[in-house]
Amino acid sequence: MKHAMEDKLKNNNFKSRSAILFLCIVLSLLYNVGHIVGTKIVDGGYYLKDFKEQQITQHRHHRPKIAVLSSFVASTMWSDTAKMIDNAVDHILNRECYCHLWNYDCIFNQTMEMGLYVEGGIRYNSQYNNTSSQKTSKNPWWLKFGAWERVAHLQAALPNYDWVLYGDLDYIIKDMSRPIESFLKEFELYGKNDIHVLVPRDDNTDDGMLDFSSFSVLIKNSPFGIRLLRNWRAFGMGLCPNGNFRDKSKKQEYSWYLSDQVGLWYALMKTHNDFHNEMYPNNSRLKLPYTVKCNQTTGLLQADTDDNFWLDMAHYFRALRYQPGNYGVDLERIDDRQMIAWSTSKNDSMSGLGVDRNWFPNTERFAATAFALHYKKPSEYWDPEMQIELSMCKRVHACSLVRNETSGMILQVGCGRGNATATEI
């Protein structure tokens, strides 16, 4: 019996020692594994860390709400409205497809508003002229040119978005793979956070030319952007009792200086002037060029006397050391407080808002790498790559439009998301 008890105790001790030994081995393995995981492994060049030690930085930026806007209102600017639309059908589908790919709102506005201030014919609306808070010249006849409607259309759209990109009817996107945010991220990268408007430069040269065509403009929904549109509209209504410029044709015929382009140049100067003098009230106040003052004799702008339709805008901004540029070295050198950016398209991976191929033939060399083109020719004259992409928009993404059989105006336009109504009538 005694020997049996001793054998039982030895057996229990052996089991206990075995259990303790097993536990020690397990603990040792766990310790070594933990030590190995937290150690630099040189051979493979990797760093293995406990998952709990990993630091994951998450950047959740608010994606800006962006719209692409185009305008067209039939007017005496064009001799054949139906033909104008015929030539621009693929231009419209190009922009619609771009919006479809990037999930932007695409607005094609055909609503008349500015033209309702014109006296005579079906365009005159006495209710507008008598009750509007907008000061107007005696008869702003030049508002019958449909290009002025873009101002009203921008005013209607901008409060609903963070940024709005306006493009003329013949403005086409060349680089479908580039989002509008790329322009904004470039500003953010370089710390140029006070830019509220981006405009193109026509000839893309390095001579510092700041005058430009208003075929495209990117505007931020900000106090600066809102006032820019207000000042642009004020110019359209006529700054002086008899308007801005005389009618050289004496037949109220269209000429570029009677249209919206000069108004945007004025609005850029006036808005900058307003904000600068409000931000720095104790400094010597900036003055607008003499050319934008009213001549008491003619009742028109002083600029009209000298045919100075450029209003000395370039001189105004050069005196303030404003520099053109929207990427790279050009963007780096502009002042961080500069509120307006003049974009440039060169043969780089980046580019400006658009290359003007309508009026500046020498810019063709920049077209291959451009973000967009100002190009009124029908799509059969487009580059082969653009023609292929247009066919993809129609065939793969089901981009199409519907026109009124009588007037030829656009009723609906859209891609594979349900052909949203484009008009705002």
Side-chain angles (χ1 to χ4, degrees), residues 315-329:
H315 176 75
Y316 174 84
F317 285 111
R318 285 194 186 112
L320 297 171
R321 300 185 182 277
Y322 261 40
Q323 300 283 344
N326 67 296
Y327 68 91
V329 176

Side-chain angles (χ1 to χ4, degrees), residues 69-74 85 92 107-113 149 153 402 407-412 422-425:
L69 166 69
S70 294
S71 298
F72 184 79
V73 175
I85 294 290
I92 297 169
I107 304 171
F108 183 60
N109 199 325
Q110 300 172 104
T111 309
M112 178 185 290
E113 180 188 335
E149 301 295 349
H153 296 167
V402 179
S407 66
M409 301 301 286
I410 307 298
L411 296 179
Q412 282 188 320
T423 54
E424 297 183 15
I425 298 176

Side-chain angles (χ1 to χ4, degrees), residues 94-95 97-98 101-102 173-178 389 393:
N94 164 274
R95 293 189 299 273
C97 185
Y98 176 73
L101 292 173
W102 288 103
I173 306 299
K174 175 73 166 58
D175 187 353
M176 287 281 195
S177 64
R178 181 180 176 186
E389 291 183 348
C393 289

Side-chain angles (χ1 to χ4, degrees), residues 261-300:
Q261 184 167 299
V262 182
L264 181 54
W265 298 345
Y266 164 80
L268 289 171
M269 289 189 293
K270 181 67 168 67
T271 309
H272 173 273
N273 192 270
D274 292 344
F275 274 75
H276 182 277
N277 291 336
E278 290 171 9
M279 289 188 297
Y280 309 106
N282 297 326
N283 294 3
S284 57
R285 296 180 64 81
L286 291 178
K287 294 182 179 180
L288 290 171
Y290 176 67
T291 51
V292 299
K293 306 296 182 182
C294 293
N295 184 304
Q296 299 301 316
T297 302
T298 64
L300 300 168

Side-chain angles (χ1 to χ4, degrees), residues 400-404 408-414 419:
S400 62
L401 56 77
V402 179
R403 298 173 64 180
N404 183 293
M409 301 301 286
I410 307 298
L411 296 179
Q412 282 188 320
V413 59
N419 284 354

